[in-house]
Amino acid sequence: MRLHTLELTGFGPFRETQRIDFDAFAGDGLFLISGRTGTGKSSILDGVSFALYGTVPRYDGAEKRLRSDHSAPADPTEVRLEFTIGDTRWRVTRAPEYDRPAKRAGGKRGGLTTEPARAVLEERVGEQWIGRAAKPRTVGETLGEILGLNAQQFQQVILLAQNKFSRFLLASGDERQTLLRTLFGTRRFEQYRDALDERRKDAQRRLDTAGEHARTLTELALRLVAEHDLGGGGAAGEATGDAGAAADDLLAAQARADYRVEQAATAREQADAAASEASRHLVERTERAQRARERAALRTRLAALEEREPAISADRDRLAAARVAETLRATLDVVDRASAAHEAAAQLADRAEQEWVAHGGDALADGPGDRAGESQAVDLGERIDALTADIARWDAAAALEREQSEREARLEAQATEIAALDAEIAELDARLAAAPDERAALENATAAARAGAARRDDLGARRAELEARLAAAREAARLSERSVAAEREYLEASTAAGDAATAVTALLARRLAGHAGELSAALVDGEPCAVCGSTSHPAPAPSSDDPVTDDALADAEAAREGAQRGAADAAEAARVAREALAAARARAGDQSELELVAALADVTAQADAADAAADELTALTERLTALDRRIDAARTVRDDLGARRAALGEEHAATRSASTGAARTIAEARGDFPTVAARIAAATEERARARALATAREARDERARALAAAEDDARVGVDAAGLSSAADARAALLSPAERDALDARIATHAADLAGTRERLLELELVLTDDDPTDADLDAVSAAARDADTTRTAAIAAHLDAESVATRLRDLAQQVDDASAAVSGLADDAAAVIRLADTVAGRAPNTMKMDLETFVLAAELEEIVAAANLRLTEMSSGRYSLHHSDARAARGRASGLGIEVLDAYTGRMRSPQSLSGGETFLASLSLALGLGEVVTSRAGGIRLDTLFVDEGFGSLDPETLDLAMRTLDELRAGGRTVGVISHVEAMKEQIPAQLSVEAAPEGPSVIRQDVAVLA
């Protein structure tokens, strides 16, 4: 994983957008993030972690103060990171939840609203960024798949944050297992363990099931032996639970069951023979008795059939007449249908003529070929044609009549709308006429407000000046008292210095006077003076009784010097006080506090008035703009309404013209009727009556001609059939069902008579008068039933014995098969269980280490070996890490322990016993070793960018130099390492740097000097 760029906006101590180009450090490979404590060095790492995971390493379990305190309410907060995984470049943008000003007044919290957390993940495809996820949750899930590490693991491998990367060194075996499992993808070994454990459970279940099945089969077999009394002295195996004894019992029982089958088979054969003989005798006697009864019945049936012969002969004659008449059925049906049709047509013609006359029509003459009828028919045709033409002409007027009410309603609606438009136009005209006056008033007020607001800046500056002068005047009042006190102290110190100098002078004078007395005492007239060399001593000084000692003179001089220093200090203090007072009075403009208070109040009142005028100017400007918009809108509406009024007037005139023309057409078509529709309805009814009368008369005449023709055809057919009249033919007709019934009755009688005679003849030839009685049949039947009952019982006993023997044989075989299966499964289960327990870390695995931990332990050994390459050098050969596979206490994961070998003592130590600096070196070495091993794995995560946050301050200079050499070696292979530290020695050794500085107003900025990098 390689980082490219990081942008921080409103995040941590950074208010303005700070951009870091990590690619700029690729050439050097090692760069330092420096800055004073609290400026925000670690916030750079926080930004990386927040962009990728939405969390930061330093805020675990605490308040996540991600948004910069320096940000204004409307300022954004955002982190953007570009990085590469494999060959794919990604860009993630993330923002935390924070409060911002509401877009509309009346927010939830004093005008503030909550800006929700957001995140966007994009992939670089060619020269474009393509969105892949757009919600914090989906971005987190997608990044989790891409990165392959959670936040805690990322901090332990890539982002070695403060107090974080030492966790891997000090972690428990369970915590190491979680991280190593993710890094090396060993969860499949856990899956192997779980799969083997499932196979172990399945093998045990199958073994238990097979054993239970074998026991169940044995119990069923022994229960079967007991139920059918096949045991010798009782089921010993069942009582004792001994499988061998149960098998012996089953063998003995099976032999006894086979013997019972043989006995039952013999008894069944004997019963079968006896039952067969009894059944044969019963059948013979029963058949003879049945034939005798059948002969008596046939004699009675023959007599009855012969008695019905005359009636059957009459049926034959009737059927023959019906068949002759059937040939005339179609002709007779035609006559009947023609007669019915003629009668119906005549009735319809009569009703149509009555309807015609009832509504004012002329009566018509009857009879076909009547010239009067033909004339009337001609008149009806002409009348129908005339009515049809009138109806067609009046239909157009009827359509106008139906639409006339709609036209009148439209005229009324148009008139109403025109009146409303006229009212709106008049109102708009009035408003537009009043608008110039309103605008002029607003312009005058705006000019007045603008004049008042023009002095706001000057008055503001004047007020600030007066406030400063008033503060200076008040400061001068305070300094005046201080200056007086300083002058007083200066006077007192100066007086004291004068007194001390006078005292020294007096002591010197006394000492000099004492010296003169001593010299005068040694003078000898005529000898030169030791002081002046004169040989004349006119006035020798007298000797002193109280001489001045050197100590007294030294004390006096010390007192004088102290007093002089005090006077000098007091003089300096007085001077400073005078200068401060003069400066304050100068800033106050030599005005008193009361004068300045009054002037400030006056200027403040004027400034407040100017502020009010400015606010009023803003409001008036907005009102003037709004008025102009309203005037423009009113004019637009006025133009639209005018155009609408003109168009509606034209439409109204057109509608009025159409309504007048339609009224004339309707009046002409209506005639004497109330409406045109009524006139059309009357004409339509009259035409329908005329058509109905003409059609009915034509149908009646046609039906009369058809009836005459049918009657002629019927007379010819009756004569040809040899019948006297059509009435006789109709009387002889039978329905098909009646003909079929007669035919069937005749045929059935003939068949019954012939069959009865034939069967009776057969029985008369074979039977005699010596027939068996009912008593004989009852005795034979009873003997047959008894024999059959005995046979049924013998069969049941034989089948039961065979069933018991078969079931016992099958159960014995199943018991043998189940016992063999149990033995085989026991061997397989033992092997599977031992393997599963060993892989899962259970006995016989004495190390209590499961398969995944075993694999991870090998990886940990390689990690420790890689870490020792650096730790040995950084600790000058004293410390080395060692993998420990010692069993952990209380069932925790074993095999992933780490111990420290101290070469000075030759003893293993716990990592927790190391000092702070030693822990830092060991943790750093282990973290770097972990990263190298992960990188070396095929398909593993390549760690191209690495950060180390602080910890170097705990190292002595020599150890720091070793650690620096180690970090310098990390650049091999194109890796970029960022180090966060405020140690001065590291600033001197690492030329490529990011400098985090606090601006005077508070926020921090990041300096990335390209020249330094070069």
Side-chain angles (χ1 to χ4, degrees), residues 244-503:
D248 295 340
D249 288 344
L250 291 178
L251 288 174
Q254 188 172 349
R256 285 188 289 273
D258 292 340
Y259 176 71
R260 287 187 181 181
V261 170
E262 294 176 359
Q263 289 182 326
T266 301
R268 177 179 177 176
E269 291 174 357
Q270 295 173 354
D272 278 342
S276 297
E277 179 62 23
S279 177
R280 184 187 61 78
H281 186 56
L282 177 61
V283 169
E284 291 179 353
R285 301 297 294 176
T286 301
E287 288 179 351
R288 186 174 182 82
Q290 184 176 1
R291 286 196 294 269
R293 287 194 294 271
E294 184 182 2
R295 181 181 62 182
L298 287 175
R299 289 173 177 172
T300 303
R301 180 176 178 77
L302 179 60
L305 288 173
E306 290 174 347
E307 290 177 357
R308 294 181 56 195
E309 186 61 30
I312 294 300
S313 179
D315 289 340
R316 291 192 188 97
D317 295 339
R318 185 182 177 193
L319 179 60
R323 286 173 175 168
V324 172
E326 187 65 26
T327 60
L328 299 173
R329 178 183 291 276
T331 303
L332 296 176
D333 289 343
V334 169
V335 172
D336 293 340
R337 287 194 299 272
S339 176
H342 177 262
E343 180 64 25
Q347 294 176 358
L348 288 175
D350 292 342
R351 286 197 296 272
E353 187 172 356
Q354 292 171 3
E355 183 72 14
W356 173 258
V357 173
H359 287 83
D362 298 333
L364 304 175
D366 293 329
D370 187 354
R371 300 305 301 171
E374 292 178 1
S375 177
Q376 184 63 33
V378 172
D379 293 342
L380 284 175
E382 293 176 352
R383 181 59 178 163
I384 290 171
D385 292 341
L387 289 172
T388 301
D390 290 340
I391 291 172
R393 189 175 65 258
W394 296 335
D395 278 339
L400 291 174
E401 185 179 52
R402 288 191 298 271
E403 296 171 357
Q404 185 66 359
S405 59
E406 180 181 352
R407 277 189 291 273
E408 292 174 352
R410 188 160 59 249
L411 279 173
E412 183 178 355
Q414 288 170 348
T416 302
E417 186 175 358
I418 288 172
L421 287 174
D422 291 339
E424 288 186 48
I425 291 171
E427 182 183 356
L428 284 174
D429 289 341
R431 287 165 55 188
L432 288 172
D437 295 339
E438 183 180 357
R439 196 179 192 288
L442 283 175
E443 288 178 343
N444 293 335
T446 300
R450 184 178 293 107
R455 300 182 59 218
R456 182 174 61 171
D457 294 339
D458 294 339
L459 289 172
R462 177 61 177 162
R463 177 166 55 184
E465 178 186 355
L466 287 175
E467 288 174 347
R469 291 173 63 187
L470 177 59
R474 289 171 176 169
E475 182 181 2
R478 293 192 302 272
L479 292 175
S480 177
E481 297 177 359
R482 188 181 304 168
S483 178
V484 171
E487 295 288 356
R488 187 179 296 111
E489 291 177 358
Y490 176 42
L491 175 61
E492 293 175 354
S494 180
T495 302
D499 293 342
T502 300

Side-chain angles (χ1 to χ4, degrees), residues 811-865:
L811 285 173
Q813 184 61 45
Q814 292 178 31
V815 169
D816 291 342
D817 294 342
S819 299
V822 169
S823 179
L825 288 174
D827 295 338
D828 294 342
V832 172
I833 291 171
R834 181 180 180 84
L835 177 59
D837 288 342
T838 301
V839 169
R842 297 187 292 268
N845 186 337
T846 57
M847 296 302 297
K848 302 298 182 182
M849 186 187 305
D850 61 20
L851 178 60
E852 183 188 19
T853 306
F854 177 78
V855 174
L856 291 178
E859 301 290 356
L860 183 58
E861 287 181 350
E862 188 171 349
I863 293 169
V864 168

Side-chain angles (χ1 to χ4, degrees), residues 206-229:
R206 285 189 283 111
L207 178 60
D208 294 342
T209 301
E212 182 64 27
H213 180 60
R215 288 190 294 274
T216 301
L217 290 174
T218 302
E219 291 174 1
L220 289 175
L222 293 176
R223 190 177 300 119
L224 182 64
V225 170
E227 289 176 356
H228 294 279
D229 195 19

Side-chain angles (χ1 to χ4, degrees), residues 23 36 141 156 197 243 298 467 585 611 665 732 734 833 862 900 1001:
D23 289 337
R36 292 187 296 104
E141 293 173 351
Q156 291 173 343
D197 197 55
L298 287 175
E467 288 174 347
R585 286 175 176 173
D611 290 339
T665 301
L734 293 175
I833 291 171
E862 188 171 349
V900 181
E1001 61 274 13

Side-chain angles (χ1 to χ4, degrees), residues 18-249:
Q18 306 295 313
R19 187 176 188 275
I20 301 173
D21 183 5
F22 293 111
D23 289 337
F25 297 118
D28 194 286
L30 180 64
F31 66 95
L32 177 68
I33 304 175
S34 64
R36 292 187 296 104
T37 300
T39 55
K41 300 187 297 297
S42 297
S43 293
I44 296 175
L45 273 61
D46 294 342
V48 173
S49 181
F50 176 71
L52 295 175
Y53 296 99
T55 183
V56 295
R58 296 186 296 157
Y59 295 151
D60 290 347
E63 180 185 6
K64 298 185 178 180
R65 297 282 306 272
L66 303 181
R67 179 169 167 81
S68 177
D69 292 336
H70 303 290
S71 296
D75 291 343
T77 294
E78 183 178 86
V79 176
R80 176 172 292 172
L81 176 68
E82 290 187 28
F83 60 96
T84 294
I85 294 287
D87 297 329
T88 305
R89 185 156 177 162
W90 300 91
R91 181 171 69 185
V92 58
T93 305
R94 196 185 293 269
E97 178 182 290
Y98 61 91
D99 291 338
R100 62 165 175 79
K103 295 181 180 179
R104 293 182 296 178
K108 296 181 179 179
R109 298 180 301 280
L112 295 178
T113 186
T114 299
E115 178 75 12
R118 55 185 175 83
V120 176
L121 179 64
E122 300 166 287
E123 179 185 354
R124 184 71 173 268
V125 179
E127 298 299 323
Q128 295 182 342
W129 289 102
I130 306 300
R132 297 305 184 200
K135 291 183 179 180
R137 179 177 178 181
T138 55
V139 168
E141 293 173 351
T142 306
L143 280 176
E145 297 175 358
I146 295 171
L147 298 172
L149 298 173
N150 60 32
Q152 181 180 2
Q153 295 159 351
F154 179 81
Q155 294 158 19
Q156 291 173 343
V157 177
I158 297 176
L159 192 65
L160 307 183
Q162 296 182 29
N163 303 322
K164 292 290 182 180
F165 65 91
S166 62
R167 286 187 179 178
F168 186 65
L169 174 67
L170 306 177
S172 65
D174 293 333
E175 293 174 336
R176 286 199 191 96
Q177 183 183 47
T178 301
L179 174 62
L180 294 173
R181 172 188 294 161
T182 302
L183 293 176
F184 297 104
T186 58
R187 186 173 293 277
R188 64 184 183 279
F189 295 105
E190 181 184 23
Q191 295 170 352
Y192 297 158
R193 182 200 65 194
D194 294 341
L196 277 174
D197 197 55
E198 286 298 322
R199 288 184 60 184
R200 176 187 64 81
K201 294 177 181 178
D202 184 61
Q204 187 63 54
R205 283 194 296 268
R206 285 189 283 111
L207 178 60
D208 294 342
T209 301
E212 182 64 27
H213 180 60
R215 288 190 294 274
T216 301
L217 290 174
T218 302
E219 291 174 1
L220 289 175
L222 293 176
R223 190 177 300 119
L224 182 64
V225 170
E227 289 176 356
H228 294 279
D229 195 19
L230 296 175
E238 184 178 15
T240 63
D242 184 1
D248 295 340
D249 288 344

